[in-house]
Amino acid sequence: MTAALTIATSAYSDQKPGTSGLRKRVTVFRQAHYLENFVQAIFDSIEPPDGATLVLGGDGRYYNREAIQIILKMAAANGYARALVGKSGILSTPAASCVIRKHGAFGGIILSASHNPGGIDGDFGIKYNTSNGGPAPEKITDSIFEASRKIAQYRILDAPDVELDRTGDCMLGEMKVSVIDPVADYADLMESLFDFSAIRELLQQGFRIRFDAMHAVTGPYAKEILLNRLKAPEDSLMNCVPLPDFGKGHPDPNLTYAHELVEVLYGEDAPDFGAASDGDGDRNMILGRHFFITPSDSLAILTANATLVPGYSKGLAGVARSMPTSSAVDRVAKELDIPCFETPTGWKFFGNLMDAGRVTLCGEESFGTGSSHIREKDGLWAVLFWLNILAAKKQSVETISREHWARFGRNVYSRHDYEAIPTEAANGVMAHLKENLARLPGQTFGRYRVDCCDDFSYRDPVDGSLCTGQGLRILFTDGSRIVFRLSGTGTEGATLRIYLEAYDPDVANHHLDAQIVLSELIKIAGQLSELEMRTGRKAPTVIT
Ligand code: VG1
Ligand code: CO
């Protein structure tokens, strides 16, 4: 017996989606009706049409399974005709995007707090993706927030739980639930884009790789693609068993949190190539033997070499990067004579450009790279893109990077994060900077002279929507810059991000450490923001 129930609830005031969905502590999500309220707010905002299909899955973190059962019963009570759910509740963010597109779904719900730690005391998250497979645009996230503030009731089916650990179909009230293999569609898509036989040959010739799934969602994807289809040896993978608390780690693929992989790639007898991805599989870090590729450089290098890859052999329509991402890709786009767009932070801003066919590759400095094959950033896609280039060029990661710098110059880049600072202090830093922006142009600091400053805003060239307050920029006359921005994904206090960039065309300097090249800019950033005085922090929490 199944019956649709209408349950009375009262609204929460804090369900405003951030850069990528709603992220809160598990303890917050487990408050009475908290998840249900947000899910009903999604359904009320999007009003699924008759016959609509919902894709559902998550990164497997703590509370994933319980949430999936609740959402399935709510989808059934809200009139969905069908739900496609990943086996055991698993779908990486890029795989969810792929499944939505391939099966013509009306949209999808992805359960993840991405790189934020998981577990009973960790974070949980939920985001809605539309029928193009991409994150809901601000128009929709704003209306979800509005709906969540007014909500008084939600609908849910009174029914037993669905068996999630076996693929196959069942009925939940009037809704058909199909439990699907979370990997197959995605792996097929990858095989259609990249030259798998060239990569297989590279690996057979003894090219050694190491992929770190950080005990997060990409484990099963990496096994299928790298081991089964590309025949990489077993020891190419590490931490590939997904765990609800990510093995107590922080599934954020950067030099700080992926230190286990970093030690291998910087150790004796290091492999030729290393890569890691994050909690929900949309981020990537690329390493060579004793060599780190910044995400901004990665985007530029993929762009410069795209035609070596079958899926991109006809060239790129254009490229896009988020504002804080370095302008390395701009230089490549200029030479290729293709458009290059600068958008606010967050993948949702690339969707319109890709839908309109104006860009093919996109990237963010935060270890996100992707293309119009789906509408999310895609960690394993970036790994395969690199492997395809390596197979085609037969050069090391380091040589490819150095030759790229020699040709285009080097955009020396770093991001300094100050995590979990008191919100008031962080707001104080931003307010102080904002007040002083107008006075800076023309002033000289050491060898840098300020050209102009602004609070970044973006008018979407496709739908004309305007997005303001996206980060304070101080641009210097030599092309260097400092950007200050508050994170929209943290769950504790505020996280202040300082993005630093300098350009150096001189090959003689390309071996220098970024922190040394940027040291003067780092000092200027501290001085202008009064950071230490206002927050008490002497050093960043994470440097990438
Ligand atoms: C961060 C990154 C941003 C990225 C977002 C979601 O946002 O800076 O580039 O799009 O995370 O990525 P913020 O607002 O904290 O700077 V993921 O892999 O966490 O979904
Ligand atoms: Co992510």
Side-chain angles (χ1 to χ4, degrees):
M1 264 304 288
T2 51
L5 308 176
T6 299
I7 310 278
T9 185
S10 37
Y12 288 90
S13 59
D14 65 344
Q15 299 196 320
K16 188 176 169 53
T19 312
S20 175
L22 181 70
R23 294 184 191 177
K24 302 279 177 195
R25 290 271 190 264
V26 167
T27 45
V28 172
F29 265 102
R30 291 174 95 188
Q31 298 173 92
H33 310 311
Y34 193 91
L35 173 71
E36 291 87 341
N37 278 15
F38 190 73
V39 172
Q40 189 63 53
I42 295 176
F43 294 155
D44 289 348
S45 305
I46 56 171
E47 296 180 1
D50 284 350
T53 296
L54 180 75
V55 171
L56 181 61
D59 62 10
R61 69 177 61 220
Y62 189 84
Y63 198 50
N64 193 60
R65 276 174 171 270
E66 291 92 322
I68 295 237
Q69 296 291 356
I70 292 170
I71 296 167
L72 281 176
K73 291 171 197 173
M74 288 185 67
N78 277 276
Y80 278 91
R82 192 172 179 213
L84 296 174
V85 52
K87 188 174 159 220
S88 305
I90 294 293
L91 273 177
S92 74
T93 287
S97 184
C98 162
V99 171
I100 293 169
R101 293 167 69 78
K102 184 164 174 175
H103 298 273
F106 182 65
I109 290 179
I110 304 173
L111 303 174
S112 173
S114 189
H115 55 288
N116 297 19
I120 194 163
D121 302 318
D123 287 347
F124 189 74
I126 172 167
K127 56 182 172 174
Y128 183 72
N129 283 29
T130 52
S131 60
N132 70 347
E138 296 228 297
K139 204 170 64 211
I140 295 180
T141 53
D142 288 348
S143 86
I144 294 173
F145 179 47
E146 278 315 307
S148 79
R149 301 209 301 186
K150 298 195 294 254
I151 194 158
Q153 56 186 46
Y154 65 84
R155 286 186 292 285
I156 189 162
L157 213 64
D158 181 20
D161 282 359
V162 171
E163 165 64 76
L164 291 175
D165 294 319
R166 255 199 324 265
T167 56
D169 296 346
C170 70
M171 293 304 290
L172 192 58
E174 310 271 282
M175 183 177 82
K176 179 171 164 184
V177 179
S178 301
V179 177
I180 59 168
D181 174 347
V183 178
D185 287 333
Y186 176 81
D188 291 347
L189 178 60
M190 293 303 112
E191 200 156 359
S192 76
L193 294 172
F194 300 106
D195 187 346
F196 271 34
S197 57
I199 299 174
R200 221 175 283 128
E201 207 173 296
L202 177 76
L203 296 172
Q204 256 156 26
Q205 286 161 358
F207 186 90
R208 286 161 55 223
I209 66 170
R210 185 68 65 89
F211 176 79
D212 185 353
M214 304 191 81
H215 286 305
V217 79
T218 46
Y221 296 86
K223 274 185 194 156
E224 172 60 18
I225 295 169
L226 299 175
L227 298 192
N228 296 349
R229 300 198 188 194
L230 291 169
K231 308 289 176 220
E234 291 266 349
D235 66 358
S236 306
L237 304 188
M238 60 198 269
N239 301 326
C240 275
V241 177
L243 298 171
D245 66 350
F246 308 121
K248 305 230 178 309
H250 198 132
D252 196 354
N254 59 41
L255 295 175
T256 302
Y257 293 124
H259 53 88
E260 216 187 316
L261 176 75
V262 172
E263 276 151 33
V264 173
L265 267 292
Y266 280 81
E268 259 177 61
D269 193 30
D272 302 286
F273 176 83
S277 63
D278 71 332
D280 60 332
D282 56 358
R283 296 187 178 202
N284 73 91
M285 174 171 72
I286 302 294
L287 299 169
R289 180 184 294 135
H290 300 191
F291 201 79
F292 168 65
I293 300 283
T294 71
S296 297
D297 278 347
S298 183
L299 175 63
I301 292 170
L302 300 191
T303 301
N305 294 287
T307 52
L308 297 173
V309 174
Y312 306 90
S313 60
K314 294 200 179 72
L316 309 174
V319 288
R321 61 165 174 86
S322 64
M323 178 274 283
T325 305
S326 97
S327 50
V329 72
D330 303 37
R331 295 173 190 281
V332 181
K334 195 163 174 223
E335 192 167 306
L336 295 177
D337 197 22
I338 55 173
C340 177
F341 297 85
E342 186 177 33
T343 61
T345 297
W347 210 260
K348 60 186 168 216
F349 295 102
F350 296 134
N352 278 346
L353 294 169
M354 289 194 272
D355 285 349
R358 294 171 74 162
V359 302
T360 311
L361 298 195
C362 305
E364 294 192 280
E365 48 63 42
S366 54
F367 297 81
T369 339
S371 90
S372 51
H373 67 292
I374 52 169
R375 293 294 180 275
E376 286 278 7
K377 53 188 188 268
D378 191 345
L380 271 167
W381 170 90
V383 172
L384 294 166
F385 208 126
W386 265 95
L387 288 174
N388 199 147
I389 291 174
L390 288 159
K393 286 179 88 87
K394 305 207 183 325
Q395 289 174 316
S396 72
V397 172
E398 177 169 353
T399 305
I400 290 174
S401 178
R402 291 200 185 281
E403 289 192 355
H404 185 92
W405 290 342
R407 184 166 157 211
F408 294 99
R410 179 180 174 200
N411 289 76
V412 186
Y413 188 84
S414 184
R415 182 177 105 182
H416 288 198
D417 292 336
Y418 293 80
E419 293 178 349
I421 50 185
T423 307
E424 259 172 44
N427 289 339
V429 169
M430 295 300 279
H432 165 73
L433 280 164
K434 228 184 213 168
E435 260 164 45
N436 288 298
L437 276 193
R439 279 196 284 277
L440 292 178
Q443 287 194 41
T444 300
F445 300 88
R447 66 190 156 111
Y448 296 100
R449 191 179 154 83
V450 179
D451 182 16
C452 57
C453 303
D454 66 2
D455 188 349
F456 182 69
S457 65
Y458 175 70
R459 170 124 7 231
D460 186 302
V462 180
D463 68 13
S465 60
L466 182 70
C467 183
T468 58
Q470 291 300 308
L472 304 178
R473 304 195 292 179
I474 301 171
L475 309 170
F476 297 93
T477 49
D478 70 344
S480 306
R481 43 169 212 167
I482 304 174
V483 176
F484 297 87
R485 200 185 140 262
L486 292 181
S487 155
T489 58
T491 53
E492 195 192 341
T495 292
L496 176 70
R497 306 201 193 285
I498 305 180
Y499 310 82
L500 306 136
E501 178 178 356
Y503 177 67
D504 195 337
D506 188 353
V507 181
N509 298 327
H510 287 172
H511 63 286
L512 294 172
D513 182 84
Q515 301 309 315
I516 291 168
V517 177
L518 297 169
S519 58
E520 206 174 325
L521 283 177
I522 294 169
K523 233 183 268 153
I524 297 168
Q527 192 183 329
L528 291 177
S529 61
E530 300 183 345
L531 187 77
E532 189 178 338
M533 198 264 281
R534 289 172 180 275
T535 66
R537 297 291 181 88
K538 287 191 180 357
T541 325
V542 179
I543 295 180
T544 48

